Amino acid sequence: MKYLLLDYQVIYEDGDGIQGTTPYRGENSDIKSLVAFIKSYYAGSRPYFDEDITIDILKEYSSAKDWITDVKDTDGYRYLRSINNFGGDVLSEFYPDEA
């Protein structure tokens, strides 16, 4: 499993855009997997081209505990957790009182 902290930006066809920082965990950390993640959770339905999604890996974590410790109090983590309990299993394992 890969544990990352990402900066992302999506520029829409009309020139507007969004950007942010988000935690990521998944089997792969290749650009195709990261773009698919941003498309799934952040890009929305406005028209854009895949090449207009930019992603920078801010940090790669060697352990799930280090990752959850860094990201559990971020807006990105709280947003993802509210959608599908993203990382809830990791939070429960290391911080059961906060799960």
Side-chain angles (χ1 to χ4, degrees):
M1 187 68 66
K2 305 293 184 180
Y3 298 95
L4 308 173
L5 185 62
L6 308 174
D7 259 351
Y8 67 89
Q9 182 176 29
V10 180
I11 304 297
Y12 299 106
E13 286 183 15
D14 65 7
D16 286 341
I18 60 164
Q19 62 185 30
T21 302
T22 189
Y24 168 85
R25 79 172 187 159
E27 292 298 320
N28 299 302
S29 60
D30 59 278
I31 193 64
K32 183 178 177 181
S33 298
L34 300 179
V35 166
F37 177 79
I38 297 302
K39 287 170 68 172
S40 294
Y41 292 107
Y42 294 101
S45 60
R46 293 172 59 188
Y48 61 88
F49 298 105
D50 283 1
E51 57 270 10
D52 291 329
I53 297 175
T54 57
I55 298 171
D56 292 317
I57 297 173
L58 298 176
K59 189 169 184 180
E60 186 166 354
Y61 296 88
S62 58
S63 74
K65 184 176 184 179
D66 291 343
W67 175 77
I68 198 66
T69 299
D70 271 5
V71 305
K72 68 184 178 72
D73 294 321
T74 65
D75 290 338
Y77 177 77
R78 284 191 291 269
Y79 165 72
L80 292 170
R81 186 146 187 253
S82 72
I83 293 174
N84 68 359
N85 197 29
F86 176 83
D89 57 330
V90 179
L91 187 67
S92 294
E93 181 178 349
F94 298 109
Y95 296 96
D97 294 342
E98 296 181 37

